[in-house]
Amino acid sequence: MAGLVVVFDFDKTIIDWDSDNWVVEELGVKDLFTQLLPTMPWNSLMDRMMRELHSRGKTIEDIAECLKKIPLHPNIASAIKSAHAFGCDLRVLSAANEFFIDTILKHHGLMDCFSEINTNPSIIDEQGRLRILPYHDFHSSSHGCTICPPSMCKGLIMEKMQASIAADGKKHKQFIYVGDGAPDFCAGLKLEEGDFLMPRRDFPIWDLISANPLFTKAKIYEWNECDELGAVLLNTVNAFFTENKSRSTDQLVSVDCESQNSSTCLTAHEAFQNALPVPLPRQ
């Protein structure tokens, strides 16, 4: 079949929560987190919170059990499994961290659906403390992007993915990118005509696309609530195979749009076409 790579953000996309905030609040360090937030980058702050939790006697197992309590909508889990079974290459591109993402995906039986997890690395040190490190070592140099956080530029990682796929000698693959945040807009700018961008409506990515419609080459398929995402994703997969005529009709993914609460599964945001571009925001 024609190649289709589906790249997901994680927080507020695969899960409808921010995993960092969930752990901070559930394990009782929100006050310190809020106090220190203005003083350091997010990635460094989360590493500091892991040190604080360790000093309070919280173990790796405590953190894992906390993460396993984060809800994951069954429509999203079902859509991920369906897309994987159909042969899509699924990947994660997230500014969360390896331990959080792996723990949640394994808990929900989804880890094997993904060929690649691109995120901030994490390790467990000799003292049993979880360390959260930056994907990009911003202490030694800047990645130069004003949209993304210092620890990771999603646009640069998307370019690496595209280059790696182009270099593997296989036929051209197209992308679906799913996300909610400003860094997901940066990744979406790397998509080409024939690719698909699935922004979460009324989130930062949506605002940036609305303000800068001419910067985006990919087709836009919007979504809002997590119970809607599964239907929009599978309909986008269907749109890909339909438009490329690479599969017969009976081979398309079966989706009951009404049952997924999505009456606008294949509707792009037409207002983008008439809006005027404005300068991109700076951090």
Side-chain angles (χ1 to χ4, degrees):
M1 70 182 233
L4 184 60
V5 181
V6 185
V7 183
F8 295 86
D9 179 33
F10 191 75
D11 291 335
K12 298 184 181 178
T13 299
I14 291 180
I15 59 172
D16 196 21
W17 305 86
D18 183 294
S19 57
D20 290 343
N21 286 333
W22 178 281
V23 169
V24 164
E25 293 181 12
E26 292 296 313
L27 295 184
V29 290
K30 182 179 179 181
D31 289 346
L32 180 60
F33 178 90
T34 302
Q35 176 187 338
L36 295 178
L37 181 57
T39 70
M40 64 182 73
W42 188 282
N43 180 265
S44 301
L45 179 57
M46 284 306 300
D47 185 55
R48 174 67 178 84
M49 291 301 97
M50 296 306 103
R51 186 175 80 187
E52 181 66 21
L53 289 174
H54 186 262
S55 72
R56 296 186 185 189
K58 299 295 184 181
T59 65
I60 293 295
E61 290 74 20
D62 292 330
I63 297 171
E65 289 304 311
C66 177
L67 290 164
K68 291 174 185 179
K69 295 177 182 177
I70 299 178
L72 190 150
H73 198 284
N75 284 3
I76 295 179
S78 177
I80 288 171
K81 291 176 181 178
S82 295
H84 176 256
F86 196 58
C88 297
D89 179 357
L90 308 185
R91 307 182 182 203
V92 170
L93 175 49
S94 168
N97 68 81
E98 184 179 9
F99 182 82
F100 285 18
I101 293 173
D102 288 3
T103 298
I104 294 168
L105 291 180
K106 288 176 182 177
H107 177 66
H108 292 281
L110 298 175
M111 188 68 181
D112 291 341
C113 294
F114 293 91
S115 67
E116 190 173 287
I117 307 291
N118 297 275
T119 189
N120 293 304
S122 58
I123 60 171
I124 301 173
D125 66 17
E126 62 278 2
Q127 298 177 341
R129 168 192 160 195
L130 179 63
R131 298 295 312 276
I132 296 175
L133 309 173
Y135 181 95
H136 175 85
D137 183 7
F138 58 87
H139 299 293
S140 61
S141 66
S142 169
H143 53 57
C145 177
T146 60
I147 304 174
C148 296
S151 63
M152 169 184 287
C153 174
K154 289 191 173 185
L156 290 177
I157 298 172
M158 274 298 298
E159 288 182 331
K160 290 180 182 178
M161 280 192 206
Q162 292 165 322
S164 175
I165 289 171
D168 69 6
K170 298 179 181 179
K171 54 188 167 184
H172 175 66
K173 291 190 176 183
Q174 289 171 266
F175 284 81
I176 296 174
Y177 190 93
V178 190
D180 72 285
D184 300 309
F185 176 73
C186 183
L189 292 177
K190 307 303 178 181
L191 299 177
E192 301 291 341
E193 291 184 10
D195 292 332
F196 303 86
L197 179 59
M198 290 178 50
R200 189 167 188 179
R201 191 169 60 251
D202 301 326
F203 278 70
I205 186 175
W206 181 261
D207 296 336
L208 285 167
I209 292 172
S210 298
N212 303 277
L214 302 182
F215 293 173
T216 307
K217 299 177 184 178
K219 295 181 180 180
I220 307 295
Y221 292 153
E222 67 189 69
W223 62 283
N224 183 244
E225 300 299 331
C226 284
D227 60 354
E228 181 184 12
L229 174 55
V232 180
L233 174 62
L234 293 183
N235 273 283
T236 306
V237 171
N238 279 346
F240 167 79
F241 289 115
T242 298
E243 292 182 11
N244 286 274
K245 299 180 180 180
S246 58
R247 304 289 288 186
S248 61
T249 303
D250 62 345
Q251 289 175 305
L252 296 178
V253 178
S254 176
V255 182
D256 182 349
C257 212
E258 183 177 355
S259 68
Q260 296 271 9
N261 296 322
S262 176
S263 59
T264 58
C265 290
L266 294 178
T267 301
H269 186 51
E270 295 179 355
F272 291 167
Q273 305 304 317
N274 300 320
L276 294 176
V278 299
L280 293 176
R282 300 183 66 87
Q283 285 190 321

